[in-house]
Amino acid sequence: MRNGPRWKPALGRVHRLTPREKETFLLLAEGLSNDWMAQRMHVTERTVRAHLSAIMEKLELESRYSACLAAYVFGAERSDHS
């Protein structure tokens, strides 16, 4: 029996992210490339890759795709409560 998407538990782990990782996480929801995220954050692409790696580890996610889905839902839920 399935209990929902495999990425869903990651939503309960977002508190583990640093403010900069959370910013990267939310940009991921926009479907931006690493290069575009780097430009928006005024950092190098290497820094973005480091943030994404930390995000995947802290949220216990296996793919960029699942991280993107989790980020999209997290951002949507956040805006619903604003």
Side-chain angles (χ1 to χ4, degrees):
M1 180 159 77
R2 225 170 148 193
N3 294 334
R6 293 166 92 183
W7 52 263
K8 192 130 180 140
L11 298 175
R13 299 181 192 112
V14 175
H15 70 277
R16 297 177 180 177
L17 303 179
T18 67
R20 204 63 163 157
E21 290 166 352
K22 192 178 286 187
E23 180 181 356
T24 307
F25 184 59
L26 291 170
L27 289 174
L28 187 60
E30 294 181 32
L32 299 177
S33 68
N34 290 358
D35 181 50
W36 275 106
M37 283 191 267
Q39 289 181 41
R40 290 263 298 266
M41 296 173 70
H42 305 286
V43 298
T44 66
E45 195 171 339
R46 182 178 178 182
T47 299
V48 169
R49 286 194 306 269
H51 287 321
L52 291 173
S53 179
I55 289 165
M56 304 278 285
E57 185 176 325
K58 289 178 180 182
L59 300 186
E60 301 174 29
L61 294 168
E62 297 174 6
S63 71
R64 182 185 179 106
Y65 179 69
S66 58
C68 187
L69 291 172
Y72 182 81
V73 171
F74 178 78
E77 288 179 352
R78 230 173 95 163
S79 66
D80 285 348
H81 294 102
S82 298

